[in-house]
Amino acid sequence: MKSGRAAPQRSSRRQFCTGLGAGTLGIIGIGTARAAAPDLAAIAEAELAAMATRLRRQGPSAGAMLCYFAPEAGNLVSPYAAQVALLYALRAYHGTSPPAALTIMAGAYLSFALDKLMWALEPASAPGRDAAGIGYGAGRLLMRLRDGTILAIPDQYRHPASPAAPARPYSPAQMRQVAHNVSALFVKACPLTQYVRAQDGLVLPGWVLNQPDMSFQTPLDQITGATYQDIHDSWYDATDSYAATLVSLAACWLRSQTEAVRRDWLARNIETLRAVMDAALATQDSGTGLTIATPYSRAAYTLDNIEVWRGLRDFCGLLRLAPTLEAAPAALRAEMSSALPLYSAKARQLRADIDRFCRLPGNSGPGLFVPGWNVGAKAILTPYPANKPAFLDAFSFTFLNDYPAFSANAAARTRYFSAMRTQGLPAPEPDRPPDLWRYLVAAAAPVQDAPFPRAALLAWVARITAQDVCARQRDWRSWWIAESGALIWLCQLLSRPS
């Protein structure tokens, strides 16, 4: 793996989404669909029921854990995947009331996730033991989560990093480097990349499972190869996106609540949501205005920045409610109300920056998207070929996040639909789902633009559910639990009159 400084490394979250080559995908013909139309309502209900199964099975003491789909102690899980699974499912019911099971899950997730944000980095005032049972002495650097959970920063390492490898203490010089690295990487109110389920009711950041890890004592400007991957997987992955989608999920969930619940919840949490929104903006590049994937990366990804733009828009919607939050102190209501113009301006500017640095020029306005911008080389990241599924990613994200991309350039929209039609629909495989989120825009397209006949999309859904791909992957605790939400949304789109 190449250094993030020399050649920006794609986020591992994005590798899961976009790393499929055309040769690995079976293609469903779009003109020969003969399968009977599936019962879309039943499919969506079954998928939602599967998402809720563990909540019913484990009971409320471990209820928050279902949102991470970690059925056993030691499972590593992705907060981003849980967030977008719930977010996509909620957006599927836009304009209607979502099922109660879904809103209960989303509410449980939000309570849990906001408690588990990184909140402070401070030296220990006295010896003690952290939440993982690791002893520490006075002066040892500690991470404190918002709920008060204390986690000691590792003072030893394994090489290679594995539970079976012998652990060796850091030297004093290495420990100083660890403290420097951790301080440089800390972003208040940012979710961590992964959590590990230690036991029922206890969840710890993913790096606790793999610590001690040698990557913590490698100077940040020398991180290459395996050490880059170690820090990347155990500390951050898409700082900007993780935080922004958490804000968007809160806003989407609140729309499903009564006005009284909405006001009470916001009065208690709006300051925290502002901190999370600021965490999404913490890596903003001064030269381009784009957010960078991690505090040590040089890559500003288009997909992440579209999610940050949507997070800003959603947060502004919450700030507009500030004057109505009677349970909040008057000073807080005034502070949040006065913040609205600031975040509105940030959203407008970020949209302009995305169109400037993450798109190729078109004849009548910004054209096709590129994967992102290398802030070190001051150049675009290499575009994907039109015959690769990843070529469609940013186009798909404009729909998923309601990003207004093509009002001035319909030709670019037409080009994406043409590429989608040429590529065809990917067939599900036994060990991976077909990235359903990428094709929601096709199901939502007007008839005159639609790249596939409705019958072909229905046949595709029937094949996917017949193989039970999503549920199998969810049990396998992979990133693709996000597909559960995408499947529900797809079914809702296809249920609408054509």
Side-chain angles (χ1 to χ4, degrees), residues 20-22 24-33 387-389 392 396 417-429 433-444 450-464 490 494:
L20 301 177
T24 67
L25 296 174
I27 301 299
I28 296 177
I30 64 174
T32 59
N387 64 343
K388 300 292 185 182
L392 305 168
S396 300
F417 276 134
S418 176
M420 187 176 287
R421 185 180 300 111
T422 300
Q423 289 182 24
L425 290 164
E429 300 177 21
D435 291 326
L436 298 175
W437 60 271
R438 191 179 279 134
Y439 300 94
L440 293 173
V441 64
F452 310 115
R454 188 181 185 84
L457 288 168
L458 290 170
W460 189 52
V461 171
R463 287 190 62 183
I464 293 165
L490 180 61
L494 292 175

Side-chain angles (χ1 to χ4, degrees), residues 155 157 169-180 217:
D155 63 356
Y157 67 92
Y170 289 125
S171 69
Q174 288 173 330
M175 197 63 218
R176 286 193 294 272
Q177 186 64 56
V178 169
H180 173 80
Q217 57 91 22

Side-chain angles (χ1 to χ4, degrees), residues 200-282:
D200 282 355
L202 176 62
V203 182
L204 302 172
W207 56 264
V208 172
L209 180 71
N210 294 318
Q211 77 88 24
D213 189 305
M214 66 168 293
S215 58
F216 283 102
Q217 57 91 22
T218 304
L220 292 181
D221 60 0
Q222 297 178 23
I223 291 174
T224 60
T227 55
Y228 183 96
Q229 187 64 47
D230 290 340
I231 272 195
H232 183 262
D233 286 346
S234 62
W235 193 272
Y236 282 125
D237 180 7
T239 305
D240 48 0
S241 182
Y242 274 56
T245 52
L246 183 56
V247 172
S248 289
L249 177 59
C252 196
W253 173 75
L254 284 169
R255 284 193 287 272
S256 71
Q257 303 300 299
T258 65
E259 184 174 356
V261 170
R262 189 161 49 242
R263 289 180 178 179
D264 179 66
W265 193 92
L266 268 180
R268 290 182 284 106
N269 292 286
I270 195 165
E271 283 185 291
T272 300
L273 289 178
R274 182 177 185 177
V276 176
M277 193 71 252
D278 288 344
L281 299 169

